[in-house]
Amino acid sequence: MKKSILLSILAFYVFNTYSQSTTTDSASSVKILSNVTVIAPVKETSTQPLPNVKGTYIFAAGKSQVINLKNLNVNVVDNNPRQLFSKFAGVYVYENDGTGNQVNISSRGLTAHRSWEMNVRHNDVMTNSDIYGYPASHFNAPSESIDRIEITRGSAALQYGAQFGGMVNYITRQADSSKKFQFETQQSAGSYGLFSTYNAIGGNLKRIKYYSYFNYRRSDGYRSNSNYDYMAGHADVEYALSNKINLRAEYNAMHYINHINGGLTDTQFNEDPRQSTRKRNYYSPTIYVPSVHVDYNITSNTAVNFISSAVLGSRNSVQFIALSNLNDTINTTTGKYNPRQVDVDHYNSYANELRLSHNYKLFNNVQTFVAGIRYVNNDLHRQQGGKGTSGIDYDLSITDPVWGRDLHFKTKNISVFAEQLFTLTKQIMITAGGRLENGDTKMTGTIKGEQQNVLPSHIPHRFLLAGFGVQYHVTNSIDGYLNWTQAYRPVIFADIIPPNSLTRIDDNIKDAYGYNGEIGVRGNISERISLDINFFRLKYNNKIGSVAKTDNAGNTYIFKTNVGNSVSQGIEFYIDVKGNRRIITSGKKLQWSVFTAGSAYSAKYVKGSVAFGGTNVDVKGNKIEAAPSFIMRNGCELTYRYLSATLQLSYVSKSFADALNTVEPNASGTIGLVSGYTLADANFSYHFNKTYNIKMVINNIFDKQHFTERPSFFPGPGGLYPSDGRSFIVSFGAKF
């Protein structure tokens, strides 16, 4: 401890002396010091806000948070989102299987489907497959490879682009820079045939840093017909061209095949939630994300960052699509199963983004200005409604060369943004900025059996976003913050083209727009207590949603339209209390921490009506679909020497599946109440010899049978999809 204090004093003295010798009262003489490395035994906390300025990004005056996974004892083997995001207040998790291959998260009453209301990034590269065509994030890196997760809420719309949910950025781990070569491995096995192997190499060779991993994971699944195989690989090389220019090339690849077990009716769920209604349905994305990064410190005050990246690959599915109360059986006429439907998306998304940050002196304080320009060129080639085989295996073959839909959704868009951070005094910071989007999307192709001219063929993207924020430094460890930022969500491919024969689209569907506002306080009340509490309000106009309808023949189908305007408002809170207690027999200290993170809010329609049963039904005052009023995650963490244990309790309140807030489920299970649930998870780990580790995970300790949504998106409008019951995972790892 004394050594740490002396090193800190020495570092401060060097910094202060050098600063006085290089800084004058002239604005043009502001100097940003080079990095100074001080080696001291400092333990990094598991969570904290992002810094006010990080590289070419401004995070001041907004709600942001970074979770350091290396300091958390959570389930990273199968990417359990309710544990990964346990300390992010109010994050809603949609679980349609226990694979972890797809992360579905949202907040503030937004749709969690493939996190498509968020700007999802991996090492600062956007991984949404096509932000203007199909913004779902199909790429998911293994959590064992992630060092930390960064989240910025509504204020991210200015710097990252059109979205309401904010930005989530997964940062990959790096090898020990003091070693030329390092190898790490983690081998895991668990319930229902789970097996996972994660292996990585990395090191530092003078000016070159490198890191690469490969992960393979498979399981038979909790439910029948829910087996999967997952593979992911990564490689990056970083080269310091000079003390001012740094180059980085990165390549990511992911592929998996999920066996889709089909939705259940409420009666089937109550009888046996592990049963399956489909055995011939499969889903498989293959995604590649290459990128090149250039960081150039032009002067001590000015820096430029350039990222050129792409999202390439496909999203494939072969399914017998029908409601859950309709069986997939042998056709008595042909003696075979009925042909399945084949759907394929081909992604060709390219992006180039140039960002600049500049520091200058004004009012005797350092000010920061950031600006950027982003160009995207996307071609989403969607082939749907192909007549597949009558087989039972994963097979994308089609027996009819004509697709039901064969469309190209091409987008070219240029966006520019600028944001200024004004430091007025030692206590007050103000941010202000704007973003201008300018582009067009053109749809071409053929639609079998439908009139081509009834669908949009050209969608312009021209809109202006603005925002501002205020941060007040109350004490040395507590800040207050306020932010208001406009947001926009363009009409996308999935909004105007029905994904299957059970879904119909409103021809007059419109773009969504609105804003995010928040005011809060965060910091450390004492050495033991930290908090982040805020009130938020999210206005969402022209909200796009789905309702269940019945046609004249009595058939149930899903109708997608602008179901009205909505407002979500309430509080988000995170409180962490830490401490330690000396164990008399050993003299060592037991470190402990308890935390609670959650949200309590109202998410309702404030205007609008929907057509149902041939009449217009007013939904004003109704709750938004899949928007529980309460989300709570509480945890207790214990660490003693090399042993650590975590117990987490998650509570999610009830929600509705449609804008009409239907309580009683229908015969197919597509609408009705989604009951609240409480889940408990436990994690244990032991590290020894500074090289080896043993971990154990218990998911859903009390085997709570539950489901989180009645999906109208993937896996399709076929009833409810049960989440996994209790499971165990044992893992062994080493690092050399």
Side-chain angles (χ1 to χ4, degrees), residues 542-578:
N542 289 341
K543 180 177 173 63
I544 299 171
S546 300
V547 296
K549 298 182 66 175
T550 304
D551 61 19
N552 294 332
N555 299 315
T556 301
Y557 65 93
I558 300 299
F559 186 68
K560 180 176 287 187
T561 182
N562 297 108
V563 293
N565 302 339
S566 67
V567 169
S568 301
Q569 57 186 357
I571 61 171
E572 297 164 330
F573 52 90
Y574 170 74
I575 302 174
D576 193 318
V577 181
K578 299 180 176 65

Side-chain angles (χ1 to χ4, degrees), residues 52 427 471-481 520-523:
N52 293 330
Q427 286 77 34
Q471 182 168 309
Y472 182 72
H473 198 50
V474 182
T475 68
N476 290 333
S477 59
I478 297 178
D479 289 324
Y481 59 92
V521 60
R522 63 186 172 216

Side-chain angles (χ1 to χ4, degrees), residues 220-226 261-264 273-277 721-722:
D220 296 327
Y222 176 69
R223 296 176 59 198
S224 300
N225 300 312
S226 60
N261 39 38
L264 302 181
R274 297 183 64 180
Q275 66 179 292
S276 170
T277 57
Y721 278 75

